[in-house]
Amino acid sequence: MTSAPTVDGHPADGHSTEGDSAEGHTAESDSAEGSSAEEHTAESSSTEGSAAESLTSDGRSAKSDAASARFRPRRRKGRGRKIAVALLVLAAAGAATAATLGIGIDLDGRDGGTDPAAALPPSTAEVTRRTLKDTQSADGELGYGPATGLGSRLPGTLTQLPASGDTISRGKPLFKVDDKPVTLMYGPVPAYRAMKAGITEGPDVEQLERNLAALGHTGFTVDEEFTDATADAVKAWQEDQGLPETGAVEFGRVVFAPAAVRVDSLAAAEGDAAGPGGKVLSYTGTDQVVTAELDVADQRLAKKGAEVAIAFPDGTSAKGTIAEVSTVIEPGEGGQDTEPETRIETIVELGAGKNQKAAAAFALASVDVTFTAEEHKDVLTVPVAALVALQEGGYGVEAVEGTTTRYVPVDTGLFADGRVEISGDGIAEGMTVGMPR
């Protein structure tokens, strides 16, 4: 673009001098859509808004400058165009880099997608609605759970022992000492004293009375008090057991367990001496369970009562419920020179019905256990890689609308399976978002 000839200080084409003021300085800036105009205006426009009436630094009027402008080399024009183009290229590159790195995207830097020169992302994804689960798998062992050791509180000789794998229910002998049975009864409180008339009230007495009633010996009120009526029921039970009918239950004659037990292993043989401190056998529950360990960092997954999925070696599966959660300390593999490792141990019950049937095909087996810490149903999600960090703080996504894009701030929820839950104004199912480079 060249400056027009003037006649008496006015442009030959009739345009006002204010519209073309200091054209030699500003025309190239205007041609770059105004993006660089602000950087050069100070040197090209007068403080009063009319360059034609102002004076240059050497005292000559702007009119004579305009008249002679056509005879000057127009180096500043080419330089201004190069600067404007370079700034546009750098701005575009900066936006692309910010989207790629997910760092410092400025929402005001993109005016709602009105810039036709904005580069589209190399690929896109769709906002979809689905269920997200925070899950993790761990190795588990199908068996009967941790075994409990059992010794004899009664001195004498072991005269009868069960076999490994035997199931023993209420009222049946666990073993015999001097040919007299040590009997299993149900209850959560271990036996800790002899039970007879005159003792203080306690939950062990109530447990005894419940078992006597279940075995058909009644005539008393089930409570924590050992009465004469309780003693009479004990005598009737002792008669059935082949024991002396004293009306008192000596310490060690009854063993309480939560339910029926399965003999896991024997620690003694018939003929061995029995007595305090000596182990006779170990037992477990009768239902198969799964034992699985987790790292301490994954403790959030181990919630009592939570449901888990179990995969068996033959490809079948079952559901289970976390029944127990405990912290165990395992010795270091290198001996005393290595620190012990803390783990979270879970006991998963399979329950009755088809879950137990699925497990029945295996006495012992290694299984996969899938824990679910959190589940969000029917939420809007995008790939995690679609998130970009905003300069204002938080995260956003780059909404793609035809040939333009704009950044939309979002609130994030659950992260799972490579996707993230999002919400916010303008976020809808089916929306297209950019995937950063």
Side-chain angles (χ1 to χ4, degrees):
M1 180 175 178
T2 60
S3 58
T6 61
V7 178
D8 296 331
H10 297 278
D13 57 4
H15 291 277
S16 68
T17 56
E18 290 184 9
D20 293 331
S21 62
E23 182 182 9
H25 298 282
T26 62
E28 64 271 28
S29 301
D30 291 338
S31 68
E33 297 184 357
S35 61
S36 301
E38 293 180 2
E39 296 181 21
H40 302 287
T41 302
E43 66 181 57
S44 58
S45 60
S46 69
T47 58
E48 297 297 327
S50 177
E53 298 300 323
S54 64
L55 296 179
T56 62
S57 60
D58 57 2
R60 291 181 293 120
S61 70
K63 296 180 180 180
S64 60
D65 277 349
S68 60
R70 56 182 172 174
F71 301 108
R72 297 175 185 170
R74 306 189 62 81
R75 293 171 184 165
R76 293 181 60 84
K77 182 175 181 180
R79 180 187 174 200
R81 180 176 293 109
K82 291 178 181 179
I83 291 174
V85 172
L87 288 174
L88 286 174
V89 171
L90 288 174
T97 301
T100 300
L101 299 178
I103 299 174
I105 296 298
D106 186 355
L107 290 178
D108 293 332
R110 300 286 292 274
D111 59 352
T114 60
D115 183 2
L120 291 175
S123 62
T124 61
E126 190 175 291
V127 177
T128 60
R129 190 177 295 277
R130 63 179 63 188
T131 296
L132 287 186
K133 292 184 179 182
D134 177 13
T135 63
Q136 182 170 316
S137 294
D139 293 333
E141 181 180 338
L142 175 66
Y144 293 89
T148 301
L150 177 64
S152 174
R153 300 287 187 175
L154 300 171
T157 301
L158 293 171
T159 55
Q160 182 178 315
L161 292 171
S164 296
D166 283 356
T167 297
I168 301 171
S169 57
R170 176 171 24 211
K172 303 299 181 181
L174 289 161
F175 54 88
K176 289 185 178 182
V177 176
D178 295 342
D179 205 31
K180 293 182 176 60
V182 173
T183 304
L184 175 67
M185 290 188 178
Y186 297 166
V189 181
Y192 58 90
R193 60 178 175 172
M195 288 176 281
K196 56 186 179 181
I199 64 171
T200 57
E201 299 179 1
D204 55 337
V205 174
E206 183 177 357
Q207 284 183 167
L208 173 67
E209 292 179 341
R210 289 187 183 281
N211 281 273
L212 292 173
L215 294 170
H217 308 292
T218 58
F220 53 85
T221 301
V222 176
D223 54 22
E224 295 188 352
E225 184 180 2
F226 196 108
T227 63
D228 291 340
T230 305
D232 290 341
V234 168
K235 291 178 181 179
W237 169 74
Q238 289 172 328
E239 182 180 5
D240 288 348
Q241 295 288 307
L243 298 170
E245 299 173 28
T246 62
V249 180
E250 58 188 317
F251 180 45
R253 184 60 65 188
V254 169
V255 172
F256 289 112
V261 300
R262 173 185 173 274
V263 177
D264 184 68
S265 62
L266 298 176
E270 292 180 359
D272 288 349
K279 185 176 178 180
V280 177
L281 56 81
S282 61
Y283 65 86
T284 66
T286 58
D287 290 334
Q288 286 180 289
V289 297
V290 172
T291 303
E293 291 186 350
L294 296 166
D295 292 334
V296 174
D298 297 322
Q299 190 167 5
R300 74 186 191 285
L301 300 168
K303 297 178 182 178
K304 188 174 181 179
E307 188 176 86
V308 301
I310 302 163
F312 297 110
D314 63 353
T316 59
S317 61
K319 298 292 185 182
T321 303
I322 299 177
E324 297 179 27
V325 178
S326 59
T327 302
V328 297
I329 299 176
E330 300 176 348
E333 295 182 356
Q336 295 181 350
D337 295 335
T338 58
E339 295 184 358
E341 184 179 8
T342 302
R343 306 279 289 173
I344 304 300
E345 184 179 80
T346 62
I347 305 298
V348 178
E349 293 182 345
L350 297 173
K354 64 179 182 179
N355 292 325
Q356 278 290 341
K357 289 181 179 179
F362 311 93
L364 298 171
S366 294
V367 297
D368 290 328
V369 183
T370 301
F371 295 84
T372 300
E374 195 172 358
E375 178 179 354
H376 290 189
K377 296 182 177 180
D378 196 32
V379 295
L380 296 177
T381 71
V382 294
V384 174
L387 289 180
V388 292
L390 302 177
Q391 185 175 355
E392 294 80 1
Y395 292 98
V397 293
E398 186 178 11
V400 179
E401 299 167 343
T403 59
T404 63
T405 68
R406 60 188 176 92
Y407 288 102
V408 181
V410 298
D411 294 321
T412 59
L414 182 62
F415 288 75
D417 300 326
R419 299 186 71 86
V420 57
E421 173 188 354
I422 62 170
S423 60
D425 293 338
I427 301 300
E429 184 177 4
M431 181 179 181
T432 300
V433 297
M435 297 290 288
R437 293 174 178 82

